[in-house]
Each structure stands twice: as C-alpha cells, then as structure tokens.
Amino acid sequence: MKMNRDRYFSETEDQDNNAFSFIADYEGNEEQLFDINIDDDLPVLPLRNMVLFPGVFMPVAVGRKSSLKLVREAEEKDKYVAVVCQKAEQIDSPDFDDLHTIGTVGKIVRILEMPDRTTTVILQGIKRLNLKSITHTHPYLKGKVQLLEEEIPPKDDKEFIALVEACKDLTIRYIKSSESIHQESAFAIKNIGNQIFLVDFICTNLPLKKDEKIQLLQFNSLRDRTYRLLEILNREVQLAEIKASIQLRAREDIDQQQREYFLQQQIKTIQDELGGSGQEQEIEEMRLKAVSMNWGEDVLAVFLKELAKLERTHPQSPDYSVQLNYLQTMLSLPWGKYTADNLNIKHAEKVLNKDHYGLEKVKERILEHLAVLKLKGDMKSPIICLYGPPGVGKTSLGKSIAASLKRNYIRMSLGGVHDEAEIRGHRKTYIGAMPGRIVKSLIKAGSSNPVFILDEIDKVSSDRQGDPSSALLEVLDPEQNTAFHDNYLDVDYDLSKVMFIATANNLNTIPAPLLDRMELIEVSGYITEEKIEIARRHLVPKELEANGMKKTDIKFPKNTLEMIIECYTRESGVRDLEKKIGKILRKSARQYATDGYFAKTEIKPTDLYEFLGAPEYNRDKYQGNEYAGVVTGLAWTAVGGEILFVETSLSRGKGGKLTLTGNLGDVMKESAMLALEYIKSHASLLDLDEELFEQWNIHVHVPEGAIPKDGPSAGITMVTSLASALTQRKVKANLAMTGEITLRGKVLPVGGIKEKILAAKRAGIKEIIMSADNKKNIDEIQDMYLKGLTFHYVKDIKEVFAIALTNDKVADALDLTVRKECKA
C-alpha cells in the first residue's frame, strides 16, 4: 500500500488530482462517477497479478507492446478500457480462456515515462463489467462487455456503516502489525470518509491473493463484499499478530541462548580445524535427502547402514572416499522418477516422419507401442533391435523415438566393450570401483524411463575379464530387468520402464540367447527414390547450414541428386551421399570466398564432373536382344537392385563340357547345372536333338567378372539363356526375369523384389517374369514404382519359355550346322 500511495502522490502532484481531492469529488457526486455510457466493444487491458476496483486509482507498469499501444490510443482518444486480470501471470499473449471474465471499466488518467525507461499508467476504476468474448486480437485485445450494476446500501444504513468502520479498524491493525507495509498508510485509511470508496480502496491495496480479490469483485452487493472483506481482514490480522508474537518471543530467546550459541560456534570452529564439521554436515545433508527419495524399505535400510558406516570412518581414511562415492551414487540415481509419455499418436507419427523418410516398419512398431500404452496405461517397454547396413539411420532413429515420446534420450556405444564390469560395475571392495555404464547412463538421463540406445551391440567382444554380452542378458530380458543387479550398487534397480533400442550391422555375431530377447526389425538399405527424398529433405539443408549457406543459395534438382546416387556412390545408407553433397558445397564456398558470388546457384547433372570428377560407378543398361543366349536377370545387392546379364555361347567339342565363369558362388553354379539338366531332360520341349549335348560345349558367363555373385534367384535366367543359345531363338525385347528353379521345372519365389523392380525400371525394362508366389510382394509396393511395368507370374519353366523365347532366330547357319553335326 505504501508503494501505491507514494507513487500516486509523486506522479500526480502537478495535476492537482491527488487521492484526497478525488475522494472529495467522489463523495459529492457518486452517481456521476458510476453512471456512464460505453460501447459494447471495449479495448481489453490484461493485468498479470492486479485487480482494479471501481472508484480507485491504481498505477500499473506496462511493458507489452500491445498494451502500450492500447493505453496510448485510449488516452489520446479519451476512451474507456476494460481492465481484467489474467488467470496465469506468465502468459504473454492471453486469449479469452486465459482471462477472468469479471473486471472493471477503467480510464487512463495519466501515462508516465519513468527514469528507468519503463512506462507507468495511472488507471481509475469506474464500474464493474463482465467480459463476454474477445472480438479482436490485433493490434491489441478488444472484447464485448456488459456493465454490472452495484447494489449500494442507503447512506443512513447503520449496519453497513458499522461494517465499514470494522473493516477500517482491522485494516489499521493489520498495517501496524505488518513490517512490510509503511505505517503512513494507516493515515490514508483514516482520512477516507466515503464508505463505498473505502471498501474498494482496501480491496485494491491490501496485499491479498489475486483469487480473493477476484472473488470480492464478483459480488454485486456492496454489503456482501464488505462482509467477505471483513472475514478476510480478521484472518489476516490474526495471522499478522501471531507472526509478530512469534518474532517477539524469538528475540527474547536469542538473548537467553546467545551465550550457548557462541560456545557452539567455537566448538564448530575447532571441529573445522580438525576436519570433523564438514563431515557431519555432509552426512546430515545425505540423511535428509534420503528421507525424500522414492525408495523401498530394503533400499533405505541398505543406505542408512552404509551411511552409519561412513560416520564411523575417519575422513582421511582411503575407505572414506569409496564409501562417500557409493552413497552419492545411490542418491544421484533417478529412483522412481519417470517422465510422462506423450501418447498423441498423430504427434508421434508426425515427428517420426519429419526426422526420417521411409523406415515404415520401425515407425509402425513405435506407434503400436504407443497405442497399447495409451489403452493399458502401463506396460513393460519393448526391447527392439534395429539391424541393417551402416548409414541407414539406426542410431538417429533413437533420437526421433525419444522426441516422439517426449522421453529423455541416452546413448551407450558398445563397440569394443570387452569387460563385463563395464555393464554390471565393480564391487566396492576393488580400488577405483565404479558403477556400470547402465547405472551411469541412468544418472545422466535423470529419469528411470529414458529411450536407451545400445549402439553397435554386435561389436561386443569377450576376453579373460568376462563376457559383456552375457551381462546384457539380464538387462534385455523383460522378465529379469525389473530387478537389475549392479555389482557396485548391490541393490536391485528397476529397468522395466526403460525402452532399450539396440543397433547392429550383423546378427551373426550376436549370441543366440541375447538375440532371442530382442524384437528384430530390419532397417534395409534405401532405394534410389528414397535416397533422393532423404537428400532433398534432410541432407542438402543440413550441409548448406554446415557450410554457412542459406537454403536459397544453391539448389540441387532431383535429376542431379539421382546422378550423384547412381554414378558417385554405392552404399545402402546415405553417409557417402552426404559427403558428396558436402564436397560440392565446399567447392562452391571456396569459389564464393574468392569471387564474391556463386557461379552456379543450381547444380545440374552436367556440372558434377567439375565438382566430383569422373563418375566412379556405372549402372548397367538394357543392351537389346540381338544375340541368342543373352538374357537379362535381376539381382539384389546391399546397395540396391541391379540388372545382370547371363550369356551362353556354344563351341564345338566332344563330351558336352559345361564351363561357368563370372566369379559365381556355389549356389549360383548349382543353378546353372540345374538349368542344363532340366533342358537335357526336356530336350523335346524345345525341339532339340538329344545328341546335340555331346557335340557342343556350353559356356555360361555372368559379367562383371570381378564382382562376386551368388544366390538362387538367377535360376530361370540361366535356363532361358541356355534354351535361347541351344535353339538360337531370340529373347523377347525389354524383358527381365528373376526366380529360383527346381529340377522338376518349378519356379520358386525370391527376395529383394522391390529393389529389383526399381533396378529394372531404371534400366528401361518393360516386362518382368517372376514366381507367382512373389505377387504378394508386388501388392505391397506403391503404384508409383510399378508404373510402366508389366508382370508375368509363372509357376513352371514352360511358362517362362512361352513368354521369353520368340520364334525369330538369330543365325540359321549355326542352327543348320548344329543339326548336321547331330545327324552325323
């Protein structure tokens, strides 16, 4: 109250408009003050923690730009404003739901620019109002209001006069018993003669809670408001007098206890010199902190036992620091502290899609977990293992999962870990003992339910110090990790709420028991179309920022990105692609630093030779069907799909020797032998003389010879190649095939269909032959990837011959020679 009174007098002295002159005017003309006409639509001035009552002057510090504009326009145009209070003071841009609907019509008396460059506005309350709605938010709030009538008791109402006098007396008692309010404020209260103004003046200036002031303002009857004010004043006066009484007794106790206090301080000083005081203080702090920890009885008992042991240990003893570190570790762990999961499925899906393109299986699994958690309310977190080639985003996916769940994120790299104590910790009896990395990571995370990335779990190795992968069995078993036992802690810790996500490149090096405890999700390599989208959405903006450029400085069209992917990288992930983009931008940055401008703001495919040199890789293109015995096959590699050519040639020679070249693996060699045996046993199907195989040697080659190749998916390609060479019939143009064969001529399904189809499309293939059992794989592929392709689904080799072999022969002379030799 001292602040309001002093500031008001000092700021309005030159206007001859002080509180006392206002009260005199108010007393003589009450009806004129409250009888006003206003528009339904008023500017709304929100106050953070202040409530204005009718008839009262109140200084308000204005800081928001919108509020400054409002008060200046209102003063300039002599307009009224609706003064309301915010529900929460920290909101900077409140809307209708953030405001109390009860308020006061206010008038801008004066705007003062203070020496500290702040603006203070003197407001005069006129009449109570009800805020119906907000109609405008720019440049400041405006809203529809309704004036509220005041039920004022008659001037000769003795009961009301007695109520007001009681409030005045209690207010003066409160001021006298309070040290925070200037005693001169009591003088101002005594000199207020108007009863209505006195009630509203006390309501405005008494340091009450905001909600209580709002409650007082809501009363339509001034009598009811005064009764409620009297109740509040009684409470505050009693509390103030009790506080004053306690402080008085405290001063008396100080005199009695002063001698003892100084003696105790001397003892503590002596203990400080001996090193004992600090120990006691630290122990007492840990004991107090232990009481507030969310521990079970067994853990608390262990802690207090170890704390008692620390008290008995001399501070200069080596065991003291070991024991102290142990107790501090126990106190640092987030026992029972859990972050609230964000169970908004759409938000999680949006975050995952924003951070990573593709990876549909992983995203689907996370959203499933969220859905079950939303339905059940509580469940054990899944233990997921993401496996796939390097650079496909396994580790960064963990950050996105943590962001979508709004959990803390922690990563622990297991590459090269070979000591079991790294996982489970050392026992306290060892010198330099410390907890395992699981416990240390939880301390760092600060909660007991983080997203915990176990990176490179397939790189864990074992030696004479134990097998870390065996220690991980307990961590990654949902049935056991509710009571994970760290050797250092020597008490059980619940890890069941932690979402463990392991990453691996190769599952073959992970022990089977550990593999069995994890849910395996394959993160396969990206296809070219996906790499283009990843580069466009993530890699290019990231590299532009890393090289100090704006998004508009240099552009990469899709055909340029495709050429970088096809001709300058060969990988499953996108790490090398990111490096190539970075290399282009670094060269552009150097050119800009030299010349002051970017010579090329759009990188075209023809510019790549200048930035990256000659293409490092070449993709195979379809070569036509001019030769018999050359058939296009489809292959899957770790870096995507490829087309390959199976070539068969005949040469005269007795014995019918079969030669296989092209760096073929055992499975592929067996496919070639199967293909030849099938044709020998079904020679009549192709109108071949059986003696033909004794007079001609057969050579099957699969370029490129330096690249190892293996797998059964080239089976039908080899059969077709042999049949085409032996019959000299051309293969249908723009046709490719994939599928495994059996000795009976059945066509079996193969994998990598999506990658193979995209490779065929890039090579200009129009028709594809595959097993009928692979149709389900085609149905899962988006239509945009299948456009322009025709699929033939077969079950037998005969169907392949009917589709692939034409009646157009390449070399009749060779055909005749073959037949002549056979007859001879």
Side-chain angles (χ1 to χ4, degrees):
M1 278 197 289
K2 175 183 181 298
M3 178 193 71
N4 291 349
R5 177 178 178 275
D6 290 350
R7 287 181 64 180
Y8 179 73
F9 288 155
S10 64
E11 292 164 1
T12 61
E13 200 171 6
D14 58 341
Q15 286 189 321
D16 192 23
N17 194 20
N18 60 41
F20 298 108
S21 64
F22 164 75
I23 295 165
D25 293 340
Y26 178 90
E27 289 175 346
N29 196 2
E30 297 169 4
E31 292 78 14
Q32 183 180 352
L33 178 65
F34 293 102
D35 188 13
I36 59 170
N37 292 318
I38 63 168
D39 298 329
D40 291 339
D41 200 1
L42 280 185
V44 177
L45 177 63
L47 304 183
R48 294 188 187 271
N49 207 13
M50 304 174 74
V51 180
L52 177 65
F53 282 75
V56 180
F57 283 81
M58 184 172 71
V60 176
V62 178
R64 285 184 276 218
K65 292 182 179 178
S66 58
S67 297
L68 286 170
K69 186 173 182 63
L70 183 154
V71 297
R72 285 175 178 143
E73 284 190 13
E75 184 195 42
E76 181 182 343
K77 298 178 181 178
D78 195 24
K79 284 189 175 182
Y80 293 105
V81 297
V83 182
V84 295
C85 184
Q86 296 180 191
K87 294 178 181 177
E89 63 178 301
Q90 66 271 19
I91 298 175
D92 288 327
S93 301
D95 55 21
F96 182 75
D97 294 331
D98 299 321
L99 301 174
H100 290 285
T101 55
I102 193 75
T104 308
V105 176
K107 185 176 182 181
I108 309 297
V109 176
R110 188 175 177 188
I111 299 176
L112 302 171
E113 300 296 337
M114 307 304 290
D116 58 355
R117 297 186 178 179
T118 60
T119 302
T120 297
V121 178
I122 307 298
L123 293 174
Q124 179 187 2
I126 305 298
K127 195 167 186 177
R128 296 184 311 117
L129 61 81
N130 183 29
L131 182 62
K132 308 287 284 185
S133 64
I134 294 295
T135 57
H136 295 84
T137 59
H138 187 78
Y140 47 77
L141 296 178
K142 287 186 179 180
K144 289 192 176 297
V145 301
Q146 176 188 7
L147 293 179
L148 300 176
E149 296 300 325
E150 196 95 16
E151 296 177 17
I152 302 175
K155 291 183 178 180
D156 57 350
D157 189 335
K158 294 182 180 180
E159 181 188 357
F160 180 68
I161 294 172
L163 273 174
V164 174
E165 289 298 322
C167 288
K168 179 188 288 189
D169 294 340
L170 285 172
T171 304
I172 294 171
R173 282 177 58 188
Y174 177 80
I175 293 171
K176 289 181 178 179
S177 61
S178 175
E179 294 181 357
S180 59
I181 303 176
H182 202 285
Q183 297 303 307
E184 290 180 4
S185 302
F187 178 77
I189 298 294
K190 288 178 182 179
N191 283 277
I192 297 177
N194 186 284
Q195 297 160 353
I196 301 173
F197 177 75
L198 178 62
V199 173
D200 290 337
F201 185 84
I202 295 171
C203 290
T204 300
N205 292 284
L206 201 69
L208 304 177
K209 295 179 181 176
K210 178 201 69 175
D211 293 336
E212 288 183 336
K213 290 188 177 184
I214 292 292
Q215 181 190 15
L216 289 168
L217 188 62
Q218 287 174 340
F219 285 104
N220 292 326
S221 169
L222 189 61
R223 185 190 305 274
D224 294 339
R225 184 184 305 161
T226 310
Y227 267 116
R228 177 58 183 150
L229 177 61
L230 187 62
E231 293 175 2
I232 295 172
L233 285 170
N234 271 313
R235 182 196 69 200
E236 294 297 324
V237 167
Q238 290 176 12
L239 290 174
E241 289 178 350
I242 291 171
K243 182 180 177 183
S245 175
I246 292 171
Q247 290 176 344
L248 181 62
R249 288 200 303 268
R251 290 193 191 98
E252 294 173 355
D253 291 338
I254 288 174
D255 294 333
Q256 297 173 2
Q257 298 173 3
Q258 195 168 19
R259 183 173 178 275
E260 295 177 4
Y261 172 76
F262 284 117
L263 288 174
Q264 289 174 356
Q265 287 298 109
Q266 288 176 352
I267 294 172
K268 286 184 178 180
T269 304
I270 295 170
Q271 288 177 338
D272 285 337
E273 293 294 324
L274 297 174
S277 173
Q279 175 193 8
E280 291 177 1
Q281 185 178 359
E282 195 168 24
I283 291 172
E284 187 60 28
E285 287 176 358
M286 288 192 289
R287 182 178 283 108
L288 292 174
K289 192 174 180 180
V291 175
S292 63
M293 297 294 290
N294 189 13
W295 280 339
E297 293 294 331
D298 52 344
V299 179
L300 181 60
V302 171
F303 180 84
L304 293 177
K305 179 182 176 183
E306 297 296 330
L307 188 63
K309 189 185 294 183
L310 180 68
E311 285 184 285
R312 298 192 298 269
T313 306
H314 194 277
Q316 294 182 355
S317 170
D319 294 336
Y320 182 82
S321 60
V322 174
Q323 194 71 9
L324 181 62
N325 289 337
Y326 171 75
L327 294 172
Q328 288 176 339
T329 300
M330 285 193 72
L331 290 171
S332 301
L333 274 168
W335 300 86
K337 292 182 182 178
Y338 302 102
T339 54
D341 287 334
N342 182 4
L343 302 180
N344 188 329
I345 307 295
K346 291 184 178 179
H347 168 77
E349 188 174 9
K350 184 178 179 181
V351 171
L352 292 172
N353 289 333
K354 179 184 176 183
D355 294 345
H356 290 82
Y357 184 82
L359 305 178
E360 301 302 331
K361 289 183 180 178
V362 187
K363 296 176 184 176
E364 184 180 354
R365 179 64 186 89
I366 300 304
L367 295 176
E368 287 172 359
H369 170 67
L370 271 179
V372 175
L373 193 62
K374 189 171 185 178
L375 291 175
K376 189 178 179 185
D378 185 26
M379 65 175 289
K380 292 179 180 177
S381 291
I383 294 168
I384 297 171
C385 180
L386 306 176
Y387 70 96
V392 295
K394 300 185 296 297
T395 304
S396 63
L397 197 61
K399 285 188 179 179
S400 297
I401 293 171
S404 65
L405 291 170
K406 288 195 175 177
R407 289 192 181 189
N408 296 332
Y409 168 81
I410 198 71
R411 173 183 167 271
M412 184 174 83
S413 177
L414 295 174
V417 173
H418 54 80
D419 188 355
E420 181 184 348
E422 290 279 334
I423 307 299
R424 276 215 183 100
H426 306 82
R427 299 193 181 278
K428 296 196 302 291
T429 53
Y430 291 98
I431 296 174
M434 63 179 66
R437 294 175 67 179
I438 300 289
V439 170
K440 287 195 287 188
S441 297
L442 286 172
I443 294 172
K444 185 178 179 182
S447 65
S448 293
N449 65 335
V451 173
F452 203 124
I453 305 298
L454 298 172
D455 214 4
E456 309 290 355
I457 198 170
D458 56 327
K459 308 298 190 300
V460 173
S461 58
S462 58
D463 63 3
R464 59 182 179 80
Q465 293 174 317
D467 185 4
S469 60
S470 299
L472 286 171
L473 295 178
E474 182 185 7
V475 176
L476 299 181
D477 192 336
E479 300 301 324
Q480 297 182 42
N481 64 11
T482 54
F484 171 67
H485 192 87
D486 186 273
N487 292 330
Y488 183 79
L489 282 183
D490 207 24
V491 291
D492 293 337
Y493 193 89
D494 185 6
L495 297 178
S496 62
K497 299 297 189 296
V498 179
M499 178 180 279
F500 287 103
I501 300 178
T503 69
N505 300 129
N506 183 12
L507 297 181
N508 296 329
T509 59
I510 303 176
L514 186 58
L515 205 60
D516 182 60
R517 285 163 166 80
M518 299 185 290
E519 182 178 346
L520 302 178
I521 299 178
E522 182 180 5
V523 185
S524 57
Y526 297 111
I527 58 178
T528 300
E529 285 74 7
E530 290 174 336
K531 287 182 181 180
I532 292 172
E533 286 300 315
I534 291 169
R536 188 175 64 84
R537 298 184 186 189
H538 302 287
L539 302 184
V540 172
K542 179 182 176 183
E543 286 300 315
L544 282 169
E545 183 180 356
N547 288 281
M549 302 179 189
K550 299 177 183 177
K551 292 183 179 180
T552 55
D553 286 343
I554 294 180
K555 295 181 180 179
F556 286 80
K558 284 189 176 182
N559 56 350
T560 303
L561 293 172
E562 182 179 0
M563 187 169 179
I564 297 173
I565 294 164
E566 297 282 349
C567 300
Y568 291 92
T569 66
R570 180 159 289 183
E571 57 176 347
S572 302
V574 291
R575 281 205 183 107
D576 203 23
L577 173 59
E578 185 177 359
K579 293 174 185 175
K580 298 297 182 186
I581 294 171
K583 185 176 181 180
I584 293 172
L585 294 179
R586 286 193 301 273
K587 289 197 174 185
S588 300
R590 179 183 174 184
Q591 182 266 322
Y592 180 86
T594 304
D595 303 329
Y597 64 93
F598 291 110
K600 294 178 179 175
T601 57
E602 181 174 326
I603 307 300
K604 298 179 180 178
T606 53
D607 300 327
L608 292 179
Y609 183 87
E610 177 186 346
F611 287 101
L612 300 177
E616 300 173 26
Y617 308 100
N618 291 314
R619 298 290 185 182
D620 291 325
K621 300 295 180 184
Y622 178 69
Q623 298 177 358
N625 64 338
E626 297 302 317
Y627 300 94
V630 180
V631 183
T632 306
L634 300 175
W636 178 92
T637 68
V639 295
E642 295 278 0
I643 67 168
L644 55 80
F645 302 98
V646 177
E647 303 173 348
T648 302
S649 65
L650 304 176
S651 60
R652 292 187 183 88
K654 295 185 178 181
K657 181 181 177 183
L658 173 65
T659 304
L660 302 173
T661 57
N663 205 347
L664 308 183
D666 292 339
V667 177
M668 207 163 181
K669 290 178 181 178
E670 291 172 358
S671 295
M673 288 187 281
L674 273 173
L676 182 59
E677 289 302 318
Y678 176 83
I679 290 178
K680 283 183 179 179
S681 60
H682 296 79
S684 58
L685 182 67
L686 297 171
D687 194 24
L688 294 174
D689 196 321
E690 294 181 1
E691 296 181 1
L692 172 70
F693 302 101
E694 298 296 328
Q695 303 296 328
W696 292 84
N697 293 327
I698 301 173
H699 187 155
V700 178
H701 177 67
V702 184
E704 300 169 357
I707 300 174
K709 310 168 195 70
D710 203 5
S713 62
I716 64 171
T717 312
M718 289 185 167
V719 172
T720 307
S721 177
L722 287 169
S724 173
L726 291 168
T727 61
Q728 290 294 291
R729 291 163 63 183
K730 288 184 179 181
V731 178
K732 191 174 183 180
N734 299 312
L735 175 74
M737 59 188 69
T738 183
E740 183 180 355
I741 59 168
T742 68
L743 201 56
R744 296 172 297 158
K746 300 294 180 183
V747 179
L748 303 180
V750 292
I753 295 298
K754 183 177 181 180
E755 290 82 357
K756 291 177 180 179
I757 287 173
L758 291 167
K761 194 172 180 180
R762 288 195 301 268
I765 300 296
K766 303 296 183 185
E767 299 180 57
I768 298 176
I769 300 175
M770 64 177 62
S771 171
D773 292 333
N774 279 126
K775 187 177 186 303
K776 62 180 183 293
N777 303 105
I778 300 297
D779 295 337
E780 294 177 354
I781 301 174
Q782 298 179 23
D783 293 337
M784 59 181 290
Y785 297 136
L786 306 178
K787 190 176 180 181
L789 294 175
T790 302
F791 296 93
H792 302 280
Y793 302 106
V794 298
K795 294 184 178 180
D796 194 271
I797 292 295
K798 297 174 185 176
E799 299 176 53
V800 178
F801 290 161
I803 298 168
L805 297 178
T806 66
N807 293 323
D808 186 12
K809 294 197 175 184
V810 177
D812 291 335
L814 178 59
D815 186 34
L816 292 173
T817 305
V818 170
R819 291 183 177 276
K820 193 180 296 181
E821 290 291 338
C822 291
K823 290 177 181 178

